[in-house]
Amino acid sequence: MNIHSTYTSILGIIITVLFFVPACTHRSSLIKKRVYRSSSEQIQPEECKQIEPILTVWIHGTRFWLDALYKKAFNAQPGLKALHELPAHHKLTKRMKALADQCADFFPYETVYCFCWSGKLKSIEREEAADILHESLFKLINDYQQKHGHKPAIRLVCHSHGANVALNLARVNAQKEHHITIDELILFACPVQCETKNCARNSMFKRIYSFYSPLDMVQITAPQWVCRVCNADGVVVACKKQLLPLSDRRFDKAPNIRQAWIKRNGWALNHTDFSLHCFLRLLPELLEAMNDAYNEHEELTTCKKQLLIRIEKS
């Protein structure tokens, strides 16, 4: 066996271990909650009964080609649009409309928005998108306040690197004269990276919910060749190169962060499962299960244990 073959084999073993060892969490370190899905009508969970007005913004993840929605509806420029402004036939519009029909109090159709960006796999693209997102949210909040006489709560629902676009808001917010607050930041399969993981601790995010799956390979293979370590305001405090440019699945402990490993029918989810309608429709129940678990088990707040939420048929 030559040197190149040996190196390739060793690298393959290392990557395999990194992929699969996190999935082998010992049962004693898990706190389990169940969420049941059913086609029949169920009593809505408390999370579904919104008292305050809340505006929900969906932020998509990486795309390796320009989506037709981005090119046509957004003129290939990052921006924010209300759901009713988007083409009725687009899959995102249909998905959110279905969610609004199922849980109108949680996903009211008239208060759901979409933030579209290039989706390129570059940190600079995510940083620039965050700047535009901040301006868009500030305008959205002001317009709502002028019309209704009070500020709305803001909920961001993000998939994959869309989560890092949202986390970059901490850096932008620290540099702006006008500041905003995000009441709920919901992250699905977020590649946890050096340059944004500490942004999650920023006070602009009142509550962060992060959902992940140990068998989601895409989440941790999101590259970060140069690890720019940033503080909570997004300011770079260190910079180093990485031998294995992999991302993490979980954030460090913080008072505002809650995290859960998700399984469905005994199986771990893959990367795209988190953006499907069959998963999103259970979001109120998932948030309620996560809040109950964190309120009942102090070990979750210290990261001594992990929360496993199992989606099962009723």
Side-chain angles (χ1 to χ4, degrees):
M1 182 180 292
N2 58 37
I3 296 177
H4 177 74
S5 301
T6 304
Y7 177 79
T8 303
S9 300
I10 294 173
L11 184 60
I13 292 171
I14 292 173
I15 292 175
T16 301
V17 169
L18 288 171
F19 281 171
F20 290 104
V21 166
C24 302
T25 306
H26 195 273
R27 291 182 179 182
S28 63
S29 67
L30 291 175
I31 291 174
K32 300 177 183 179
K33 280 282 186 179
R34 285 184 173 87
V35 166
Y36 296 98
R37 60 183 179 87
S38 172
S39 56
S40 61
E41 186 177 351
Q42 294 179 318
I43 298 174
Q44 290 186 341
E46 290 300 318
E47 291 296 328
C48 212
K49 301 172 183 175
Q50 297 292 341
I51 300 175
E52 292 185 1
I54 188 162
L55 308 182
T56 300
V57 179
W58 170 263
I59 307 175
H60 64 80
T62 300
R63 290 174 174 167
F64 295 99
W65 56 86
L66 290 184
D67 180 71
L69 180 69
Y70 182 60
K71 289 190 291 185
K72 295 180 180 179
F74 290 85
N75 297 317
Q77 296 294 326
L80 182 72
K81 287 185 179 291
L83 200 60
H84 62 77
E85 297 179 82
L86 304 182
H89 62 273
H90 193 273
K91 62 181 180 181
L92 177 62
T93 311
K94 291 180 178 179
R95 182 185 302 156
M96 293 301 170
K97 181 66 168 66
L99 290 173
D101 291 342
Q102 287 181 330
C103 189
D105 292 334
F106 195 83
F107 288 105
Y109 186 76
E110 64 277 6
T111 61
V112 176
Y113 298 78
C114 174
F115 181 77
C116 222
W117 59 292
S118 69
K120 292 181 180 178
L121 193 59
K122 295 180 179 180
S123 59
I124 187 65
E125 291 283 336
R126 297 190 290 272
E127 291 171 7
E128 291 174 355
D131 200 296
I132 297 172
L133 175 60
H134 188 281
E135 290 299 315
S136 300
L137 291 174
F138 179 74
K139 183 179 185 303
L140 181 67
I141 293 168
N142 276 357
D143 289 348
Y144 189 97
Q145 186 173 17
Q146 289 179 10
K147 184 176 181 180
H148 299 279
H150 52 84
K151 286 186 176 182
I154 299 294
R155 176 200 294 130
L156 304 184
V157 183
C158 315
H159 180 240
S160 191
H161 264 316
N164 283 313
V165 171
L167 289 171
N168 269 305
L169 284 173
R171 174 187 57 82
V172 178
N173 206 49
Q175 297 172 353
K176 298 286 186 179
E177 292 183 4
H178 47 273
H179 295 168
I180 63 173
T181 298
I182 305 301
D183 296 271
E184 290 182 0
L185 177 58
I186 301 172
L187 311 179
F188 299 136
C190 170
V192 179
Q193 300 195 322
C194 298
E195 59 190 27
T196 52
K197 69 177 182 180
N198 285 330
C199 291
R201 308 165 72 91
N202 193 284
S203 60
M204 78 171 296
F205 303 116
K206 288 186 178 181
R207 177 71 71 201
I208 295 178
Y209 299 94
S210 180
F211 298 90
Y212 65 95
S213 169
L215 294 184
D216 177 2
M217 305 307 178
V218 177
Q219 181 187 19
I220 63 172
T221 53
Q224 46 177 349
W225 294 99
V226 177
C227 183
R228 296 186 301 168
V229 181
C230 300
N231 61 19
D233 291 332
V235 178
V236 178
V237 295
C239 190
K240 57 184 179 181
K241 291 184 178 180
Q242 293 201 136
L243 179 62
L244 289 175
L246 302 178
S247 301
D248 294 324
R249 300 189 190 280
R250 291 170 51 84
F251 293 90
D252 296 334
K253 67 176 182 178
N256 65 326
I257 299 176
R258 296 183 173 183
Q259 307 176 84
W261 164 10
I262 302 294
K263 276 189 173 183
R264 184 175 59 198
N265 299 330
W267 295 90
L269 275 64
N270 64 42
H271 198 65
T272 57
D273 286 340
F274 287 98
S275 62
L276 297 179
H277 171 250
C278 59
F279 173 79
L280 293 175
R281 67 187 289 266
L282 292 172
L283 184 54
E285 288 90 341
L286 292 169
L287 294 179
E288 184 175 60
M290 186 183 285
N291 285 330
D292 288 345
Y294 269 79
N295 291 337
E296 295 168 5
H297 302 277
E298 187 179 351
E299 305 96 316
L300 290 172
T301 61
T302 60
C303 289
K304 292 180 179 178
K305 293 198 174 184
Q306 295 183 44
L307 175 61
L308 168 61
I309 298 180
R310 300 166 64 174
I311 301 172
E312 300 178 357
K313 293 181 179 179
S314 61

